[in-house]
Amino acid sequence: MDEHTYPGRGLSLSQLVFALNEELKRVAYSPIFTLEAVSQLDQDASIASAAIREWKNSFARINRIPTDILSLIPTYLSSQKDRFHAASVCRHWRRVLLERGELWSQLFLIKGEDYVSTLLERAKGCALEIIADRDAPVGTIALISTCAQQIRDLEFVQNHLQDIETFSEFNSGRLPLLRSLKIEAFNFHSVPIPPSLAFFRGSINLERFVFYYHGLPFLSHFVFPNLTTFELSSRPEEEWSGLYLLDFLGASPTLRTVKMDVSAQIVLEGVPQEMVVVLPNVETFSLNLVNGIVRYSYGIATHISCPRSRDTSLTHETYDEDMGANPEVFPTPAVWNTIVRQYMASPIEKVTLNLQRPECVDDECLLTFRSSDETIVRLGFKVYTTDGDEDGSNIPRATIGREILCQALTAIRRHPLLSHVKRLHINCRAAMWHIFRVVRMSNEVPELFDSLGPLDELILDGCDSRVFFPTFVDIDSLEKPHVLPQIKDLTILHPLVGIPVMEWMNGIVELAKAHYARGMPFECVTVRMWRLPIEMAEELRPWVGVVDCRED
């Protein structure tokens, strides 16, 4: 066939069919009917058939949309494997998708050199996302090093620290595009060996650093002056000096988000008492310590100041066998004052106390302090039960919840900016069935209410009412008279009733009468409970502005 009449070269579909028919006639009647001529005709027919299919495919509706929009379809696929499938739909899709380099910019080094080479060629000059697994072939590192300046996101999955150090040294030059670095690593040696040089020291524009390390984290070997997000999860099996953490934070003045989860005892030896690292731009600060001594958990927080933080969380987790006979659950007054001064300067408007027993956790307590400008400080404490053995605890399980609740109430009233609180919400699922336990708890409550001014709202959710209301306990058994402050709205949700329900109802009615007699009646009383006495609303109505009692 003449090259000027080659199928697909500027011919319409009808012209192509006509040309093929003419070629068939010429070959069929040709006196030289050779095998080579037939083979050439078969090849030309295959090429023409492919061209015809491609032309027909171009009339499909999905292929009539602009190519810049078509190339966006793979960006909504959940995996790279699906993107490879999309590039195999047809020739048109393949041409369009291969031209969009960012679709192929995610590289998993564990898949080998051929895979990495192919995707680097497709990605062209686009920013790269590199995922390096522990068993990635060594040759892939050499391939990546040729385009290290294109790396935007770098993640190490289950790597030895020594392998990461090797990768860092191999790519020791400038990494101007690197914005996110995630390291999940452990130390190859039984004895920790600190790195000789700083890792990725050319990453001057790094913004996000996530470090999961099964051992002592060598934070001093990471220096990122423009870091905005830092997440640390570490499981060292020994004490960890808080000085390393403070030095790292102090070298990262642009931080905006800090989240740390450390399963170790952070010791303050060598930390000057007056040392305070100020993080002026941090908006979210979270510190969770597991298995350390509680005073150290809050102690390290006193050496950090986040004056602009909108959300601060300080939590501690431990096992019941490690609590001791006199457990410290929340900060001492001096530490509490320091934390408030360095994390929350505005007066408190709302306090929420949640004490519950979720699955797998013996007791979990969370105190939330919310200021008038929506700044939040959380103090949390979790106690895990070891092997479900009640006899193995230093403190009997029956008293753990009660002890935590007592200390939580104390922590609330110790807050130095508590006088402006308008809303108090207590969610407590710990019933005090024994009268002596009720008296013990009821002696803690007056101290709390004495530190509060008038409340706009008091919500008791799942609480034993006898602990909080004086009408349920013989006044002679209390160390201090139990008097509630003025309360506009009282809400009782799903109360734990340890006495006959009618006796409980009468106690609530007597409480309403007492407030009415004092000249400060409740403006609204809301009750939601199972098996609500049908006469409760009528009994309350003479003493309360609005009554909303419903069975739930």
Side-chain angles (χ1 to χ4, degrees), residues 428 430-433 438 462-469 495-498:
C428 175
M432 308 298 170
W433 301 123
V438 174
C463 297
D464 191 330
S465 303
R466 298 172 298 168
V467 171
F468 297 94
F469 300 142
L496 297 176
V497 180

Side-chain angles (χ1 to χ4, degrees), residues 78-213:
S78 58
S79 68
Q80 191 179 76
K81 183 178 180 180
D82 292 335
R83 294 187 179 186
F84 280 111
H85 288 161
S88 302
V89 169
C90 65
R91 290 183 179 181
H92 176 60
W93 278 46
R94 185 172 183 82
R95 279 198 303 268
V96 172
L97 300 188
L98 292 187
E99 284 298 316
R100 195 174 181 93
E102 58 266 30
L103 295 177
W104 316 105
S105 60
Q106 185 184 52
L107 282 72
F108 296 88
L109 301 189
I110 197 172
K111 295 185 178 182
E113 296 181 39
D114 291 341
Y115 160 88
V116 172
S117 298
T118 299
L119 263 65
L120 284 177
E121 181 180 353
R122 292 184 181 183
K124 304 177 179 67
C126 293
L128 301 176
E129 178 184 353
I130 308 298
I131 296 92
D133 290 80
R134 177 174 56 187
D135 299 322
V138 177
T140 59
I141 299 179
L143 290 173
I144 293 299
S145 64
T146 61
C147 52
Q149 293 194 355
Q150 294 176 232
I151 300 177
R152 181 190 58 203
D153 302 283
L154 181 58
E155 178 178 354
F156 295 92
V157 181
Q158 288 291 326
N159 278 256
H160 297 299
L161 185 65
Q162 289 71 23
D163 294 337
I164 299 173
E165 184 177 13
T166 300
F167 189 101
S168 174
E169 291 304 310
F170 209 86
N171 299 277
S172 58
R174 292 174 62 86
L175 299 170
L177 288 185
L178 188 60
R179 294 295 186 272
S180 176
L181 174 62
K182 182 177 181 180
I183 296 177
E184 182 181 355
F186 53 90
N187 204 308
F188 181 77
H189 302 285
S190 57
V191 179
I193 300 177
S196 56
L197 296 172
F199 285 0
F200 306 102
R201 51 191 178 275
S203 308
I204 58 175
N205 296 315
L206 189 73
E207 297 175 352
R208 179 173 179 262
F209 178 36
V210 179
F211 192 23
Y212 298 156
Y213 188 56

